[in-house]
Amino acid sequence: MSEAKEPTVENERDCVFMGRSHLVVLGAGASRAAFPNGDRHGKKLPLMADFVDTLELRPLLAQWGIDPDRNFEDVFSGIYEAGETDRIGILQSRVENYFGSLQIGDNPTIYDHLVLSLRKKDYIATFNWDPLLLQAYRRNGRFELPKLLFLHGNVGIGYCVKDRTVGVAGARCSKCLQSFTRAPLLYPISQKNYAANHFIASEWGTFKKLLAHTFMVTIFGYSGPQSDQEALSSMGAAWGPVRNRELEQTCFITIQDRDTVLGNFRDFVHTHHYEIDSNFYNSWIAHHPRRTGEAWWNQYLECMFLPNNPIPKDVDFPALWNFFEPFREPERLFEVTRGNRKNFGDA
Ligand SMILES: [Zn+2]
């Protein structure tokens, strides 16, 4: 702990003591916010509301006699339940081709800032199929970064069933040297069966354990599991009764209004311990990069006033990496003194 009563930015950076995980959950709104002008070539990141038009599925659905203005989730669900395998295959390949073609641009994005602002004890769990988080992750690999979970699969991820390893699609398993099987995309159908695929089941298993042990959950651009019964029951059971979660903090990064957010997440959020930010750069993560847990502890348990140490959001990669460089040594010392930490270890 720092000696000063009120920590400075340098005190915060140099004082590392939190071992528990910070969990960030990403929905489609996060990719839209991170890439407001689309990918490198201007290809847009869809929300469920504009999914059909973004992927240019309107003529195809019309040709099949399906109302293109229906929610894609309902459309796919209907085709799936009717057992129309040809149409399922066509839709799947259209979706895979679209997301598989997306490429990140040259400049730092919210996803670069996000992965750099968390530590290897932390997790990002995404519902998104696009590969842009993974592309941001790979180009910042000089730093120790959080672990990633793909709750609905991802076009950029592969896995080896035998060795339980996960890696970039197209690469080989480091143990058996076989090519990874590409992770499936979990389609929005009303009867989800997460357990049907080993990779997805494993991602959810880790996610549920995290929900029970994390000190902070940040929900970014995800409007909740209300139309997703299996996600709802998984998250409800894992997060535990609302009354038992008095110390943990939940942060929402969303452009939805407060009433909508609290309505969607009423089963999860303790009455007072939440904040809602409309912009990533106003969030706890962006104000306390790589020290979200320490800052949380100091502010909420030690009642200290904390100055922000904001991510420099408008600089290029060399300047961005320079900003994060001094965070390394205190983290290394923490690891040395505390030994290898458990995934879900205590503070
Ligand atoms: Zn293998």
Side-chain angles (χ1 to χ4, degrees):
M1 302 292 292
S2 74
E3 290 171 17
K5 194 73 183 163
E6 294 179 352
T8 63
V9 163
E10 289 74 21
N11 292 150
E12 176 173 304
R13 192 186 62 207
D14 293 342
C15 182
V16 179
F17 57 83
M18 177 58 87
R20 287 169 68 189
S21 304
H22 184 159
L23 170 63
V24 177
V25 180
L26 303 182
S31 283
R32 177 65 71 86
F35 302 91
N37 302 313
D39 82 335
R40 169 184 286 274
H41 303 295
K43 291 180 86 170
K44 285 180 71 180
L45 280 297
L47 302 177
M48 195 47 71
D50 54 35
F51 192 93
V52 167
D53 285 320
T54 305
L55 273 73
E56 299 178 345
L57 297 172
R58 185 172 282 272
L60 181 70
L61 296 182
Q63 186 191 325
W64 289 349
I66 295 169
D67 177 4
D69 291 316
R70 282 175 62 200
N71 181 311
F72 181 75
E73 202 161 317
D74 296 338
V75 168
F76 192 88
S77 205
I79 292 173
Y80 187 87
E81 278 156 23
E84 298 177 90
T85 49
D86 289 353
R87 290 182 175 183
I88 293 170
I90 291 167
L91 281 181
Q92 283 180 331
S93 79
R94 290 283 292 268
V95 170
E96 285 170 17
N97 288 341
Y98 188 85
F99 285 102
S101 73
L102 296 175
Q103 290 177 19
I104 201 165
D106 291 330
N107 297 320
T109 67
I110 286 177
Y111 277 176
D112 295 280
H113 295 149
L114 173 64
V115 299
L116 285 167
S117 297
L118 296 167
R119 302 213 302 266
K120 69 176 183 182
K121 68 176 179 58
D122 302 319
Y123 285 77
I124 300 173
T126 178
F127 284 95
N128 297 333
W129 289 331
D130 72 73
L132 300 176
L133 176 70
L134 198 57
Q135 291 174 12
Y137 192 89
R138 295 183 73 191
R139 67 184 178 183
N140 291 287
R142 64 183 62 204
F143 289 90
E144 291 195 319
L145 301 179
K147 299 176 187 74
L148 305 181
L149 297 173
F150 297 94
L151 300 175
H152 279 178
N154 190 274
V155 294
I157 278 289
Y159 67 102
C160 172
V161 179
K162 185 165 69 70
D163 297 310
R164 299 183 163 238
T165 50
V166 175
V168 177
R172 289 174 186 277
C173 168
S174 60
K175 293 185 177 165
C176 68
L177 303 181
Q178 300 294 308
S179 294
F180 285 124
T181 304
R182 219 188 61 188
L185 303 186
L186 188 74
Y187 282 79
I189 54 174
S190 53
Q191 299 292 317
K192 283 206 177 92
N193 184 2
Y194 293 154
N197 177 272
H198 172 82
F199 171 79
I200 301 264
S202 162
E203 300 292 272
W204 276 88
T206 305
F207 182 63
K208 288 185 206 175
K209 281 185 210 157
L210 276 167
L211 280 174
H213 294 279
T214 182
F215 72 91
M216 181 178 284
V217 180
T218 296
I219 296 175
F220 184 5
Y222 175 58
S223 57
Q226 67 274 15
S227 66
D228 185 336
Q229 281 307 314
E230 199 151 341
L232 181 64
S233 59
S234 297
M235 288 172 73
W239 211 314
V242 168
R243 66 179 178 279
N244 290 347
R245 301 185 65 83
E246 295 191 355
L247 285 179
E248 293 84 348
Q249 182 81 7
T250 304
C251 304
F252 297 94
I253 306 171
T254 177
I255 52 176
Q256 292 182 323
D257 65 47
R258 180 169 298 265
D259 288 346
T260 306
V261 172
L262 294 183
N264 290 343
F265 286 93
R266 63 185 170 275
D267 295 334
F268 306 123
V269 179
H270 187 271
T271 322
H272 301 297
H273 296 105
Y274 67 88
E275 65 173 55
I276 300 176
D277 300 304
S278 60
N279 184 312
F280 171 77
Y281 295 103
N282 294 334
S283 71
W284 192 259
I285 296 173
H287 285 162
H288 301 287
R290 298 188 82 85
R291 300 292 179 267
T292 59
E294 288 79 4
W296 169 80
W297 185 280
N298 284 331
Q299 178 147 315
Y300 290 97
L301 303 180
E302 306 284 341
C303 297
M304 293 181 188
F305 171 78
L306 296 181
N308 290 335
N309 185 25
I311 300 166
K313 73 185 184 79
D314 295 317
V315 301
D316 62 10
F317 274 113
L320 185 63
W321 291 333
N322 275 340
F323 171 81
F324 281 104
E325 197 58 40
F327 288 72
R328 281 181 196 272
E329 184 58 12
E331 291 168 19
R332 192 188 66 79
L333 288 174
F334 172 70
E335 295 295 332
V336 168
T337 53
R338 298 295 293 265
N340 286 332
R341 304 202 59 78
K342 292 185 295 181
N343 272 354
F344 317 109
D346 294 329

